[in-house]
Amino acid sequence: MKRSRDRAASELFAALYPRLAGWCRRLVDDDETAHEIASEAFTRLWARWTAVEEPRGFLYVTAANLVRDHWRKLERERRAVRRVTAEVAVRPHPEQADPSVRLLVQSLPERLRVPILLHYYADMPIREVSVLTGRKEGTVKADLHAARELLRVHLRRSVDQTP
Protein backbone atom coordinates (compact mmCIF):
# COMPACT_ATOMS: atom_id res chain seq x y z
CA MET A 1 0.00 0.00 0.00
CA LYS A 2 2.69 2.50 1.05
CA ARG A 3 4.90 1.47 -1.86
CA SER A 4 2.12 2.11 -4.41
CA ARG A 5 1.37 5.48 -2.76
CA ASP A 6 5.07 6.41 -2.93
CA ARG A 7 5.22 5.36 -6.57
CA ALA A 8 2.09 7.40 -7.39
CA ALA A 9 3.58 10.43 -5.62
CA SER A 10 6.87 9.99 -7.46
CA GLU A 11 5.12 9.68 -10.83
CA LEU A 12 3.00 12.74 -10.08
CA PHE A 13 6.10 14.72 -9.17
CA ALA A 14 7.90 13.68 -12.38
CA ALA A 15 4.86 14.55 -14.47
CA LEU A 16 3.91 17.89 -12.91
CA TYR A 17 6.95 19.47 -11.28
CA PRO A 18 8.68 20.79 -14.44
CA ARG A 19 5.52 22.43 -15.76
CA LEU A 20 4.57 23.83 -12.33
CA ALA A 21 8.07 25.23 -11.76
CA GLY A 22 8.04 26.75 -15.26
CA TRP A 23 4.67 28.35 -14.63
CA CYS A 24 5.94 29.78 -11.34
CA ARG A 25 9.09 31.02 -13.09
CA ARG A 26 7.02 33.08 -15.51
CA LEU A 27 5.12 34.61 -12.58
CA VAL A 28 8.05 35.46 -10.27
CA ASP A 29 10.81 35.98 -12.86
CA ASP A 30 13.38 34.12 -10.76
CA ASP A 31 14.47 30.49 -11.11
CA GLU A 32 15.35 29.91 -7.45
CA THR A 33 12.11 31.42 -6.13
CA ALA A 34 10.08 29.49 -8.70
CA HIS A 35 11.64 26.19 -7.62
CA GLU A 36 11.11 27.06 -3.95
CA ILE A 37 7.44 27.77 -4.60
CA ALA A 38 6.90 24.62 -6.68
CA SER A 39 8.71 22.52 -4.06
CA GLU A 40 6.66 24.04 -1.26
CA ALA A 41 3.45 23.30 -3.17
CA PHE A 42 4.48 19.64 -3.45
CA THR A 43 5.48 19.55 0.22
CA ARG A 44 2.02 20.81 1.17
CA LEU A 45 0.45 18.26 -1.16
CA TRP A 46 2.42 15.40 0.45
CA ALA A 47 1.26 16.56 3.89
CA ARG A 48 -2.37 16.13 2.73
CA TRP A 49 -1.78 13.36 0.19
CA THR A 50 -4.64 11.09 1.25
CA ALA A 51 -7.17 13.95 1.62
CA VAL A 52 -6.58 15.65 -1.74
CA GLU A 53 -8.90 14.50 -4.50
CA GLU A 54 -7.39 16.57 -7.35
CA PRO A 55 -3.60 16.86 -6.81
CA ARG A 56 -2.93 18.92 -9.95
CA GLY A 57 -5.52 21.55 -9.00
CA PHE A 58 -4.28 21.58 -5.41
CA LEU A 59 -0.70 22.16 -6.60
CA TYR A 60 -1.59 25.06 -8.88
CA VAL A 61 -3.87 26.75 -6.33
CA THR A 62 -1.23 26.35 -3.63
CA ALA A 63 1.51 27.66 -5.93
CA ALA A 64 -0.69 30.62 -6.93
CA ASN A 65 -1.18 31.47 -3.25
CA LEU A 66 2.56 31.21 -2.63
CA VAL A 67 3.28 33.43 -5.65
CA ARG A 68 0.80 35.99 -4.31
CA ASP A 69 2.54 35.88 -0.92
CA HIS A 70 5.88 36.39 -2.68
CA TRP A 71 4.53 39.41 -4.59
CA ARG A 72 3.16 40.89 -1.35
CA LYS A 73 6.51 40.42 0.35
CA LEU A 74 8.30 42.15 -2.54
CA GLU A 75 5.86 45.05 -2.40
CA ARG A 76 6.38 45.43 1.37
CA GLU A 77 10.13 45.50 0.78
CA ARG A 78 9.78 48.05 -2.03
CA ARG A 79 7.63 50.30 0.17
CA ALA A 80 10.13 49.97 3.00
CA VAL A 81 13.02 50.88 0.69
CA ARG A 82 11.10 53.87 -0.69
CA ARG A 83 10.32 55.01 2.85
CA VAL A 84 13.94 54.63 3.94
CA THR A 85 15.20 56.37 0.81
CA ALA A 86 12.89 59.31 1.48
CA GLU A 87 13.89 59.50 5.15
CA VAL A 88 17.59 59.24 4.38
CA ALA A 89 17.31 61.99 1.76
CA VAL A 90 15.64 64.27 4.30
CA ARG A 91 17.91 63.40 7.20
CA PRO A 92 21.39 62.42 6.00
CA HIS A 93 23.61 60.53 8.40
CA PRO A 94 27.31 61.16 8.95
CA GLU A 95 28.12 57.71 7.52
CA GLN A 96 26.88 58.92 4.15
CA ALA A 97 29.79 61.32 3.93
CA ASP A 98 31.95 58.28 3.22
CA PRO A 99 30.95 57.17 -0.28
CA SER A 100 32.67 53.80 0.14
CA VAL A 101 30.31 52.79 2.96
CA ARG A 102 27.27 53.98 1.00
CA LEU A 103 28.45 52.08 -2.08
CA LEU A 104 29.10 48.96 -0.03
CA VAL A 105 25.62 49.12 1.48
CA GLN A 106 24.12 49.63 -1.98
CA SER A 107 26.06 46.61 -3.26
CA LEU A 108 24.56 44.28 -0.65
CA PRO A 109 21.94 41.80 -1.86
CA GLU A 110 18.44 43.25 -1.39
CA ARG A 111 17.66 40.67 1.32
CA LEU A 112 20.49 42.16 3.43
CA ARG A 113 20.39 45.76 2.21
CA VAL A 114 16.77 46.43 3.22
CA PRO A 115 17.22 45.55 6.92
CA ILE A 116 20.47 47.59 7.06
CA LEU A 117 18.76 50.63 5.57
CA LEU A 118 15.74 50.35 7.81
CA HIS A 119 17.59 49.60 11.04
CA TYR A 120 20.72 51.73 10.78
CA TYR A 121 19.79 54.49 8.36
CA ALA A 122 16.15 54.97 9.37
CA ASP A 123 16.76 54.14 13.06
CA MET A 124 13.95 51.60 13.17
CA PRO A 125 13.91 48.97 15.88
CA ILE A 126 14.21 45.35 14.77
CA ARG A 127 10.55 44.74 15.60
CA GLU A 128 9.47 47.46 13.15
CA VAL A 129 11.87 46.18 10.47
CA SER A 130 10.32 42.76 10.98
CA VAL A 131 6.80 44.09 10.46
CA LEU A 132 7.73 46.18 7.42
CA THR A 133 9.56 43.37 5.64
CA GLY A 134 7.26 40.55 6.72
CA ARG A 135 10.17 38.61 8.20
CA LYS A 136 10.54 37.16 11.66
CA GLU A 137 12.64 39.16 14.13
CA GLY A 138 15.19 36.36 14.28
CA THR A 139 15.54 36.45 10.50
CA VAL A 140 16.02 40.23 10.58
CA LYS A 141 18.72 39.84 13.25
CA ALA A 142 20.45 37.12 11.21
CA ASP A 143 20.28 39.26 8.05
CA LEU A 144 21.70 42.27 9.92
CA HIS A 145 24.54 40.12 11.23
CA ALA A 146 25.27 38.71 7.77
CA ALA A 147 25.22 42.20 6.25
CA ARG A 148 27.58 43.56 8.92
CA GLU A 149 29.98 40.68 8.30
CA LEU A 150 29.96 41.33 4.55
CA LEU A 151 30.53 45.04 5.12
CA ARG A 152 33.32 44.30 7.59
CA VAL A 153 35.10 42.03 5.08
CA HIS A 154 34.75 44.58 2.27
CA LEU A 155 35.91 47.47 4.46
CA ARG A 156 38.93 45.49 5.69
CA ARG A 157 39.81 44.63 2.11
CA SER A 158 39.59 48.29 1.04
CA VAL A 159 41.67 49.42 4.04
CA ASP A 160 44.29 46.75 3.32
CA GLN A 161 44.52 47.93 -0.29
CA THR A 162 45.02 51.57 0.68
CA PRO A 163 48.67 52.61 0.09
Side-chain angles (χ1 to χ4, degrees):
M1 180 79 171
K2 181 177 178 350
R3 180 169 270 173
S4 66
R5 245 187 18 213
D6 288 348
R7 184 180 9 245
S10 186
E11 289 171 0
L12 183 72
F13 182 83
L16 295 180
Y17 184 84
R19 179 170 246 147
L20 180 66
W23 180 73
C24 292
R25 170 66 174 87
R26 286 188 300 280
L27 294 172
V28 298
D29 199 32
D30 177 64
D31 286 336
E32 184 177 338
T33 303
H35 284 287
E36 286 175 9
I37 289 171
S39 296
E40 179 62 23
F42 270 95
T43 300
R44 291 180 184 191
L45 173 63
W46 303 150
R48 297 164 185 79
W49 182 245
T50 56
V52 174
E53 290 182 31
E54 178 49 52
R56 184 175 181 272
F58 179 89
L59 286 168
Y60 276 85
V61 168
T62 301
N65 289 336
L66 292 168
V67 165
R68 185 197 63 226
D69 292 346
H70 172 74
W71 287 342
R72 286 178 176 165
K73 177 183 166 215
L74 289 178
E75 184 53 33
R76 282 192 307 269
E77 289 176 354
R78 281 187 204 108
R79 280 195 309 265
V81 168
R82 282 193 301 268
R83 178 177 167 200
V84 167
T85 304
E87 287 182 11
V88 169
V90 170
R91 181 176 39 109
H93 288 267
E95 297 91 352
Q96 288 183 320
D98 181 0
S100 62
V101 173
R102 187 182 71 237
L103 291 173
L104 287 174
V105 170
Q106 288 174 349
S107 73
L108 288 171
E110 184 173 348
R111 175 183 68 82
L112 301 177
R113 185 177 59 245
V114 170
I116 286 286
L117 291 173
L118 293 174
H119 186 66
Y120 291 106
Y121 285 78
D123 295 320
M124 290 185 190
I126 289 173
R127 180 173 303 148
E128 191 172 348
V129 174
S130 171
V131 169
L132 283 172
T133 61
R135 299 177 189 158
K136 295 180 180 176
E137 286 185 39
T139 302
V140 170
K141 289 176 184 178
D143 287 346
L144 287 169
H145 175 75
R148 285 191 307 267
E149 289 303 311
L150 274 174
L151 291 171
R152 188 180 343 268
V153 167
H154 288 299
L155 285 171
R156 266 200 203 118
R157 196 176 304 143
S158 67
V159 168
D160 290 345
Q161 292 175 357
T162 305

